[in-house]
Amino acid sequence: MKRTLRLVAAACALGWAAPPTAGAQQTPPASGAPTAAPAAEPPAPAPPAAPAAEPPVAAEGMPADGGPRSLALVVSGGVSLGAYEAGWVHYASEAGKQMPGRVDLKLVAGASAGSVNSLVVAMNHCLPKTPDPQDSVAWSAWIPIGYESLFVEEEVSGINMFSRAPLLEAGERLWKVWRGGLRQGCDILLAVSTTRFDPINIALAEDLTVPRQEEKFVLRIRGRGPGRAPMLSNYIDPDVPVPQPKLRIVPDAEGTGRAARENFENLRDLLFASAAFPLAFWPQVLSFCLTDPNAVGTDYCQKAQYRRFFIDGGVFDNNPLRLSLDLARRGLRRDATGRSHWRDLREPEQLGGVPDDDMLFFYLDPDTAAFPVGQSEVITSEQPAVLPLAGRLLSGFANTARAKELYRLAEREKKLSSRMRLTRNHYPTMSGLLGAFMGFFERDFREFDFYLGMYDAYLEAGGDVVDHMRSVVASDEAPGMRPLQCMIGWFDSSAEALRARCSGLDRNFLVMLQVAIDRVHSACHDVDAETLPDYTTHHCRRAAEGHDRPVVTGVADIGGEVLRRQGEDDFAHAMRLLAVYQFHFRDLGLEPHEARYGRIRVRRKLLKMIRYLARAQPTFADRTIVETALRTGVNGIAYEPPRDFAYFLAGSAFEVGASFLPFDWNRSFLRFHGALQLVDLGSLLTPSEDLFRFTLAGGLELHPPSFSTPALQSFVGVRAGYQFGTVPDRLGTRDCTEERAFGDQRNCSQFVLQNYWVLTAIDRLRFQVTFEFFPFPESYDDKGIYDIQFGIGYQVF
């Protein structure tokens, strides 16, 4: 049952809208969209001939001698999990090269980070074998991209925190491969899901228009051999009765000139648009055309009609499987030799369509686990909190919107599960933590997840493919394969001999390998082994049966600390394990013995981003709201007080003060404090006797993490100072007699010790109780040696 549900869920995540209703027309759109149906483009130069003539189509459309099965790969979005996906697609494409003739990759589709990996696998499929994964297109596209290069203070604006500079560098690395040429005859469709920043209005009838914010670009990539950039064109279905987007692409007959470079840059910008995660990246501008359903056009867009902003393609369709299925049915055909090819959709229909049962769809989703994952608790009358409920509802709405196409496809395609393979993540990733942003904070996380993706792709193969690839994996041909060999040795019970390949590997890799085993062991140790499905991991089943988990050679055995604690979320659990194993957080600037501060360092980096984002807001109110709201969310990672903040209080006394750290350290919970306290300030404004006095004090504050939650924080402090009285002794310049002090020695100038307790709401609203002790009382009033002050105010940081 769980497997069926996962297949249905996967089917919903990979598609595009069904063909629009016939007869629909375009009406004047809103929000900067075209004001009329675009005119037919002027005739374009005849496109260059295909690299090789397409063979004749078999009479019945079936392989004449049993050609390879056609394959479509759909890759979901995943932010920094793109590194995991990159490892998966690299291994899968390399396995295909080792055993040609099994399947023929014809279509790749993706959204957000998945669109980047769709191009990566399309290119790698058409390149020679790359035995060492660290020399691959996939590795160069993802592994170098981390927080330090993404977060550039000068480039933060009110709507983005990340720079595209490292993405442009990755694009240049891809361009070098692209211009070097892809295999002659390689012919693949690339489908990319995007989201308009502003919707366009589309006419469905004379008086009926609907807004459209999703846009699906479909491009055809045809290799022309070494030294020539691939031929790139839009793939347009003239029978679709609504405007379709065409990326700005010009005919390129040579593959060596300026046109090749410009076409690649437009393709690169399309991927940037699909991956423009809101608040992370500035919306990407795309140059494109819209087809006129009533006119005959070309597959090119030589002069862009529009330049519009686009954002993350995963907003509405994170899994374009339905788009892939429709494209395959409309355009994929078989020739007389049994090989499939893409037909020109503008030419009359031919026989020889690829049968549905012969088309295999792979859906790559790094969130689909082969081990038990935590489920949300059921809301009861004992859990009436609004904020958790709102968060769950918003999360549910977002996930449902992103998966709606898959669900609609599952409704339409009853036999979909027999033609679709849903990939599974057999061990938890590191990048998947923190909403899949964790991979940006440590390069080692991305590298580990790359190999974990390779491992999962390795398990996807079946039968003699596995037997063949095991010999390839176990070879010494490529040093970059050793981490995968080590991983297989510890994950697979039948490959323990490969554990010897772990010798000499970086200790961080071994620690993450152990943490992955530990997290699976913790997730499965209380599960009934009889309820586990067949695809469950080896170590999960052993944990459910009561066995101990293995301890990777070179890593300490931490015993019972492996299990997840009550109330501990997945992030806290993983970071605690890394701390116990003394993981070396190199990018976070921590030595192994400081690993317990990993959560704090991650939090500080996030807060720095938030602070710069807030500063870029146009008004004080906007800045305060943005920083306060986002800071509250980050407090759930690990709480520590703001490094420096000031405050003011009003109540029985008026007080202004500051809490600060004059130097950088990992323990921010013990800090310095200074304050100016004004008592009886109102006496200066009334006819009564002037009893105004003020105190200058300083000391230490203690902010215990266990006393704080993301919304409420509590801390204590002690300070010493000197109180200056105005009337009784004129700031200590004369004796403070009983008469001058009005019978209360607390009005005199003197030393004072203070102890205070503070409660703050979201680090802003402050309530404080201060206990005062006067250690050197005057002789005339033994009772006047204590005092208490109350105040409520606001903190600024």
Side-chain angles (χ1 to χ4, degrees), residues 15-16 20 68 79 111 125 162 170 249 287 307 416 425-426 488 492 509 556 562 568 587 654 724 767 780:
W16 90 339
V79 198
H125 176 74
F162 283 165
I249 295 175
S287 300
R307 282 176 57 82
L416 178 65
N425 183 7
H426 293 83
I488 294 174
D492 290 5
F509 184 87
V562 166
E568 189 176 49
D587 292 346
F654 184 83
F724 295 88
F767 174 77
Y780 57 81

Side-chain angles (χ1 to χ4, degrees), residues 624-741:
T624 301
I625 291 172
V626 168
E627 183 163 6
T628 302
L630 295 181
R631 186 184 184 89
T632 302
V634 174
N635 282 348
I637 296 175
Y639 177 76
E640 69 171 349
R643 172 164 178 164
D644 303 306
F645 64 87
Y647 68 91
F648 64 87
L649 294 171
S652 58
F654 184 83
E655 182 176 320
V656 293
S659 179
F660 55 93
L661 281 175
F663 42 80
D664 189 20
W665 63 350
N666 292 318
R667 302 175 187 270
S668 65
F669 304 107
L670 185 63
R671 48 202 298 114
F672 296 99
H673 171 79
L676 168 62
Q677 187 183 71
L678 309 176
V679 182
D680 284 334
L681 184 62
S683 66
L684 297 177
L685 308 176
T686 63
S688 61
E689 296 293 342
D690 183 2
L691 296 177
F692 168 67
R693 59 190 188 273
F694 64 92
T695 300
L696 290 173
L700 297 175
E701 283 183 351
L702 180 63
H703 295 245
S706 58
F707 284 14
S708 299
T709 69
L712 295 175
Q713 300 81 39
S714 179
F715 56 94
V716 296
V718 293
R719 62 195 183 196
Y722 193 84
Q723 174 181 279
F724 295 88
T726 57
V727 172
D729 52 15
R730 295 179 182 176
L731 306 182
T733 60
R734 65 179 182 178
D735 292 338
C736 186
T737 65
E738 184 174 3
E739 180 181 2
R740 291 170 179 171

